Amino acid sequence: MSEYKKEEWRVKQPAADIRALAEQFSISPILAHIIVNREITEPDAVACYLSDDLAYTHDPALMKDMDKGCQIMKEKIWAGKKIRIISDYDVDGITSNYILYQGLQKAGADVSYDIPHRIMDGYGMNVRLVEAAYADGVDTIITCDNGIAAETAVTRAKELGMTVIVTDHHEVPCEVTENGEKNYLYVNADAVIDPHRPDCAYPYKDLCGAGVAYKFIRHLYRVTELPWEDEDAYMDILALGTVCDIMPLTDENRIFVKRGLRRLTNSTNLGINALKKALGLDGKPIEVHHLSFRIGPSLNSTGRLESAKEGVELLLTDDPARAESLAQDMAKLNELRKEMTDRGVRAATDWVRKDIRMIPTEDGVKEKKIGDDKVIVLYMPGIHESIAGLIASKLKEAFYRPTLVFTDAENGQGLKGSGRSIETYNMFDKLCEHKELFVKVGGHPMAAGFTITREALEPLREALNRDCNLTDADLVEKLYVDESCAIKQLTLPLYEELAKLEPYGTANVRPLFGIVKMGIRSIKMVGNEGQYARCTFVDGNGTRINGMVFRGKELLDNIKVWFGDKECDKILKGLQNHALIDILYHMKKNEFNGTVSIQMEPVSIRKSVYYETSK
């Protein structure tokens, strides 16, 4: 367990007529090859991939219970009944709450919203929120980004005579029988709208909670015969929810995010603009990484460390001073969250590398070896429970194993945690196989959140590792090379053409190029702590290209192991040397003093498979 993840390079083989597609869509063979590598081969699918036309999106009415739920909502609006939205507290919950609130209010609804508190309530709608709504005279509850597993809360609402509409995108809870069959457990709501229902015919299953909320409002306006005047309405907020909930940027999600990024760049939302300003993004084109690493985490910090209601308020406010105050607070909260996460990741990584895990006992905490666990189950006393998922994500990336991180619940009741998974391990299904060990569990194949008793931690670790069915090959990350390109092919026109593939994100990653038998002309260590390596690479024809390696110290350590200290010293001094490497990289444009050039952004570097024969 002490080693970092293992990698395997694979070259994708085209499964379509590359040149025919290139000619049909007037694109280069390289671009056509990359698109085919994304398993997009039919002309109609390629046209959809390259488009941002909403005509390629799907009819909301195809979703199970969508028409039923919208008809119920129409009747409640016309009858003047009080309606309450209950969402999750993350970015997807905040954005889906906003879309429902704005859409329902403009449709004439008497609508309010509520969000569970991460510490006091935990994930999802609960009895306290239901009874608070009932005390306020609410007739109808509509959930978003939660509800599919809220059996107790829905039952309580029905006992009180309330109407409940569930909109969600999480997996339907199930019991797994001894022969592996699933018995799905549906909540007793008046309408249950979730594309993951096994009986739902909606053709695209990977909408986020905001996506399902958006579909609900679109269909509601259809059944109430209200005009939908702005075709890009909610696209900015929908893009934010989609990216931050790590949904695949495929099919209609890709179209939503394309359009949403344009709207975010020129946003008319007072809160979004205030947050952009607080983060130094004012006036800049908004890209996916801004949502993932700046705007989203800042909005999410309210639900992690304070109250997510402030996130919804930021999006709804029409008061510039209030928007600025909220945005500044969120930016500061996110900096605090980053510091807490960085400390937690360093501690967790150190424990795993040293094969140490902590076991909660009645007398405190004791250490025990991790051993050869293929599923990491880590207990971290003292961390804020809101960052468990962030730490799990970093551990999964570092060690490429399914990872569950637990800490003490701040309400004093058991352990709470989050998990992140790898491609070959459906985390939600595997957790459901041991549902008896959980107090609460919900999630997706790639991520989950849960609560257990302290006594269940070791039995859970043992059960997950015993029944994981993961082979050693499953725990090797596969890096798929889109195209092998010589340096002379890395031109500015090619870089600009690659923009047709954007936006990049989950399931639509940046193109990965490969090149072998590269020499290292020089390396210069840069950065505040000398942590980055500014490299000049050279091919067999003497053609040079620059690149920045962000794990520079790791690269130097590897060069010493591969080629020896003397060769490493020559490279650092820019002298002739015999090192030979293979590189997987992204293309990057560099602008300096008015000069534009193409550089490499290495993703993985190895000692060349041709090194020994070249000496």
Side-chain angles (χ1 to χ4, degrees):
M1 182 69 75
S2 59
E3 296 181 2
Y4 276 93
K5 67 183 178 184
K6 296 180 174 65
E7 295 177 344
E8 179 182 328
W9 296 9
R10 292 186 177 183
V11 178
K12 291 186 175 181
Q13 300 299 325
D17 190 333
I18 300 298
R19 295 203 171 274
L21 281 176
E23 291 176 5
Q24 182 175 352
F25 291 96
S26 301
I27 57 178
S28 69
I30 290 177
L31 193 69
H33 189 177
I34 294 169
I35 293 172
V36 168
N37 285 347
R38 280 135 176 76
E39 299 181 358
I40 302 166
T41 57
E42 296 300 321
D44 286 348
V46 175
C48 175
Y49 180 82
L50 294 172
S51 175
D52 62 359
D53 192 336
L54 290 172
Y56 284 107
T57 62
H58 307 296
D59 187 346
L62 296 173
M63 211 172 291
K64 180 74 173 178
D65 274 9
M66 178 63 80
D67 192 64
K68 181 181 179 182
C70 288
Q71 292 291 347
I72 292 171
M73 186 60 72
K74 179 180 74 170
E75 293 170 4
K76 298 295 183 179
I77 293 172
W78 288 0
K81 300 294 186 181
K82 286 189 175 183
I83 298 159
R84 178 155 297 174
I85 303 161
I86 297 179
S87 72
D88 189 21
Y89 40 62
D90 65 0
V91 176
D92 192 22
I94 290 169
T95 54
S96 56
N97 198 319
Y98 170 87
I99 290 170
L100 284 183
Y101 184 88
Q102 286 284 76
L104 291 172
Q105 189 178 62
K106 290 178 180 179
D110 181 356
V111 60
S112 60
Y113 64 87
D114 204 351
I115 302 177
H117 191 281
R118 180 185 288 269
I119 305 304
M120 293 190 301
D121 295 308
Y123 169 78
M125 183 170 69
N126 57 40
V127 170
R128 184 188 72 80
L129 297 175
V130 168
E131 292 181 342
Y134 181 73
D136 290 340
V138 170
D139 172 88
T140 300
I141 291 174
I142 179 168
T143 73
C144 50
D145 193 32
N146 81 106
I148 197 68
E151 179 183 1
T152 303
V154 171
T155 299
R156 180 57 179 155
K158 298 306 296 177
E159 289 173 352
L160 293 171
M162 304 172 79
T163 298
V164 181
I165 299 170
V166 168
T167 76
D168 202 348
H169 75 120
H170 293 93
E171 298 281 347
V172 181
C174 65
E175 293 177 342
V176 181
T177 64
E178 291 184 359
N179 58 8
E181 295 180 354
K182 296 179 181 179
N183 293 327
Y184 291 96
L185 308 173
Y186 290 102
V187 293
N188 186 31
D190 296 88
V192 180
I193 303 166
D194 186 331
H196 281 290
R197 289 184 61 158
D199 57 351
C200 179
Y202 195 75
Y204 187 61
K205 305 298 183 183
D206 290 321
L207 293 173
C208 64
V212 180
Y214 170 80
K215 293 289 180 177
F216 184 90
I217 294 299
R218 286 300 307 251
H219 192 64
L220 177 66
Y221 276 49
R222 181 188 297 170
V223 301
T224 53
E225 299 181 356
L226 290 170
W228 193 270
E229 297 175 354
D230 181 358
E231 66 175 1
D232 276 342
Y234 307 113
M235 284 293 156
D236 48 352
I237 308 303
L238 176 52
L240 183 56
T242 300
V243 170
C244 293
D245 218 45
I246 321 179
M247 291 294 104
L249 295 191
T250 55
D251 203 275
E252 59 185 355
N253 277 350
R254 181 174 166 77
I255 293 171
F256 296 151
V257 174
K258 269 189 180 182
R259 301 176 77 101
L261 289 174
R262 289 199 298 265
R263 194 171 179 109
L264 282 162
T265 297
N266 303 291
S267 181
T268 58
N269 185 288
L270 203 62
I272 289 291
N273 286 336
L275 191 53
K276 286 163 57 178
K277 184 177 180 180
L279 297 171
L281 299 174
D282 198 22
K284 297 181 179 180
I286 299 301
E287 301 177 13
V288 166
H289 66 92
H290 293 132
L291 305 188
S292 298
F293 300 111
R294 306 291 301 282
I295 296 174
S298 296
L299 197 62
N300 205 12
S301 66
T302 62
R304 291 191 184 279
L305 303 178
E306 298 290 341
S307 169
K309 290 181 182 179
E310 292 184 352
V312 180
E313 183 183 353
L314 176 73
L315 299 180
L316 289 173
T317 188
D318 57 4
D319 180 348
R322 181 59 176 158
E324 182 178 356
S325 174
L326 285 168
Q328 292 291 342
D329 287 347
M330 288 177 193
K332 291 175 183 176
L333 270 177
N334 191 48
E335 287 303 311
L336 174 61
R337 187 274 310 167
K338 286 168 61 177
E339 292 173 8
M340 293 166 56
T341 303
D342 289 344
R343 288 196 300 269
V345 169
R346 286 195 296 270
T349 303
D350 190 50
W351 289 352
V352 176
R353 291 188 71 184
K354 293 179 179 177
D355 289 349
I356 296 172
R357 55 190 170 86
M358 303 297 184
I359 309 298
T361 69
E362 293 181 0
D363 301 323
V365 177
K366 68 177 182 180
E367 294 183 3
K368 192 173 182 180
K369 289 289 185 180
I370 289 175
D372 297 321
D373 286 0
K374 293 180 177 178
V375 179
I376 298 174
V377 178
L378 199 64
Y379 166 62
M380 298 189 67
I383 66 166
H384 196 282
E385 64 185 51
S386 66
I387 64 172
L390 302 175
I391 295 173
S393 179
K394 293 294 185 181
L395 289 179
K396 184 265 294 186
E397 291 173 8
F399 299 97
Y400 202 67
R401 294 167 190 256
T403 303
L404 289 74
V405 173
F406 288 90
T407 191
D408 299 295
E410 294 198 17
N411 60 11
Q413 298 179 5
L415 305 179
K416 293 182 71 173
S418 291
R420 299 295 183 268
S421 196
I422 61 177
E423 289 183 10
T424 51
Y425 186 83
N426 186 318
M427 179 166 283
F428 183 75
D429 278 1
K430 286 298 183 182
L431 298 186
C432 283
E433 289 180 9
H434 304 287
K435 194 175 180 183
E436 73 282 357
L437 294 173
F438 291 92
V439 175
K440 203 173 187 180
V441 61
H444 311 286
M446 299 297 288
F450 27 73
T451 303
I452 64 172
T453 63
R454 296 169 69 87
E455 297 74 22
L457 182 66
E458 276 302 284
L460 178 65
R461 184 196 65 80
E462 293 172 1
L464 292 179
N465 277 281
R466 182 187 65 234
D467 301 330
C468 67
N469 298 322
L470 290 168
T471 65
D472 290 340
D474 291 329
L475 301 179
V476 176
E477 185 174 17
K478 281 69 176 180
L479 298 178
Y480 292 95
V481 185
D482 283 300
E483 187 76 74
S484 296
C485 285
I487 294 178
K488 66 180 181 180
Q489 294 176 279
L490 305 180
T491 63
L492 187 59
L494 174 61
Y495 177 86
E496 292 173 342
E497 188 186 30
L498 292 179
K500 295 178 185 290
L501 302 171
E502 297 178 4
Y504 301 130
T506 304
N508 188 56
V509 296
R510 291 172 66 189
L512 189 60
F513 298 96
I515 191 165
V516 298
K517 295 193 292 185
M518 288 286 282
I520 309 175
R521 182 67 184 84
S522 66
I523 290 179
K524 182 179 180 180
M525 303 306 292
V526 297
N528 294 334
E529 300 176 0
Q531 69 270 43
Y532 308 130
R534 183 182 293 153
C535 306
T536 299
F537 304 110
V538 60
D539 67 13
N541 298 315
T543 307
R544 298 183 183 184
I545 190 168
N546 294 327
M548 182 71 78
V549 178
F550 292 101
R551 299 200 304 269
K553 292 180 179 178
E554 183 181 326
L555 174 63
L556 275 186
D557 289 342
N558 285 336
I559 288 175
K560 290 178 182 178
V561 172
W562 296 335
F563 309 113
D565 290 339
K566 289 184 179 179
E567 289 295 290
C568 184
D569 188 55
K570 289 179 183 178
I571 291 169
L572 288 171
K573 292 178 179 177
L575 302 176
Q576 184 72 31
N577 63 82
H578 296 94
L580 206 59
I581 58 174
D582 303 333
I583 309 175
L584 297 187
Y585 63 94
H586 300 308
M587 284 183 68
K588 183 179 180 181
K589 183 172 73 171
N590 183 58
E591 299 182 45
F592 183 70
N593 288 339
T595 301
V596 179
S597 63
I598 296 299
Q599 294 187 351
M600 285 181 172
E601 188 176 295
V603 172
S604 185
I605 297 176
R606 69 185 183 191
K607 177 182 176 182
S608 180
V609 295
Y610 298 95
Y611 174 70
E612 297 299 337
T613 57
S614 69
K615 292 174 65 176

